[in-house]
Amino acid sequence: MAETLLDIKNIESFYGPIMAIRGVSLKVEKGQVVTVLGANGAGKSTLLKTISGIMDPEKGQVVFDGREIQGMEPHKVVSQGIVHVPEGREVFPLLTVDENLSLGAYTRSDKAEVEKDRQMVFEYFPILAERRNQEAGTLSGGQQQMLAIGRGLMLRPKIMLLDEPSLGLSPLLVQEIFAILKRLNKDEGVTMMLVEQNAKVALELADVGYVMEVGRIVMDDTADRLMESEDIKSFYLGHQEEGARGERRWKRKKTWR
Ligand SMILES: Nc1ncnc2c1ncn2[C@@H]1O[C@H](COP(=O)(O)OP(=O)(O)OP(=O)(O)O)[C@@H](O)[C@H]1O
Ligand SMILES: [Mg+2]
């Protein structure tokens, strides 16, 4: 039977007086990839920040592996096995690739296992092995995204929260990174919660999807069914526009439930 790893129950999160998350509930089963789709400002990043403890919800519960973690300090959330790879691939620019990876494992004392995981990261992302002594700030955007994911893996997480890994990358590189995410899920069993505007690649990878609009979940279904849904099709086939950040963006569509 499926085992629920992350159970978010009716959370509300605010920036001052602004309610950015308006009663969101969702579940991630162990071994699943769950995607949360939504346009700019829908609340996707805020949702991940609320899980990882960067923000505290005013209401609701975040239950991880049977334990309530809402309001917990971010470093304690990390120690539960939750890794957050934030939007905009934040790596430490003046540290080398290797040093960035070592920092990812800072909570671990099992040195031999950490080295194994470093080799595993290099196997998935060979370019990082090639550039291991290079300062992270001098990597290309795609390489930095790979490093951000690799650094997250160094914690050997129970779940990875990925905030728009496709952002600002060429379609080819997006395909490459998502193929690696798929292998990490299938072969290493990494559970993932992936927030994305790129519905196509996200739904191809995910088992289950949720759609967020203005702080609420407005649709949820299996990824296969969402891919076939007329709303989703028109949303990402007919209603894309070039966004402020230069990549394909979605126009808001008002007709969803
Ligand atoms: N630091 C902040 N202070 C005030 N309001 C904020 C802050 N960060 C986000 N918001 C607001 O909260 C809402 C949700 O923002 P959030 O960043 O979660 O959206 P998102 O779905 O991640 O969008 P994007 O796809 O553009 O990254 C938006 O209305 C945004 O303006
Ligand atoms: Mg965001």
Side-chain angles (χ1 to χ4, degrees), residues 182-249:
K182 181 157 233 158
R183 281 173 53 210
L184 285 166
N185 172 250
K186 298 283 176 254
D187 300 345
E188 314 293 334
V190 182
T191 305
M192 299 178 187
M193 180 169 163
L194 166 73
V195 313
E196 262 298 341
Q197 295 206 24
N198 190 333
K200 192 168 185 306
V201 290
L203 289 173
E204 276 166 10
L205 172 64
D207 301 295
V208 170
Y210 291 80
V211 179
M212 259 185 108
E213 206 174 83
V214 211
R216 287 195 176 86
I217 304 288
V218 293
M219 265 178 116
D220 70 274
D221 212 332
T222 64
D224 289 344
R225 276 201 291 268
L226 284 177
M227 203 111 69
E228 293 306 313
S229 128
E230 288 307 317
D231 279 336
I232 294 281
K233 276 186 187 166
S234 62
F235 206 64
Y236 73 82
L237 293 176
H239 294 262
Q240 275 191 330
E241 59 179 351
E242 200 72 21
R245 285 185 267 178
E247 67 279 1
R248 303 296 284 177
R249 285 297 188 196

Side-chain angles (χ1 to χ4, degrees), residues 115-159:
E115 286 320 304
K116 265 195 208 162
D117 286 349
R118 189 192 305 272
Q119 291 314 315
M120 189 255 303
V121 169
F122 286 156
E123 213 174 283
Y124 280 91
F125 301 106
I127 190 72
L128 296 182
E130 243 174 70
R131 305 294 169 93
R132 61 188 297 171
N133 297 316
Q134 187 172 323
E135 281 180 10
T138 64
L139 296 173
S140 74
Q143 292 162 354
Q144 288 186 28
Q145 184 60 270
M146 293 177 192
L147 179 55
I149 295 167
R151 192 180 59 195
L153 287 169
M154 291 296 289
L155 202 97
R156 204 176 273 189
K158 290 184 184 156
I159 190 170

Side-chain angles (χ1 to χ4, degrees), residues 44-45 87 163-164 245:
K44 305 181 299 297
S45 296
E87 199 175 340
D163 196 339
E164 296 205 54
R245 285 185 267 178

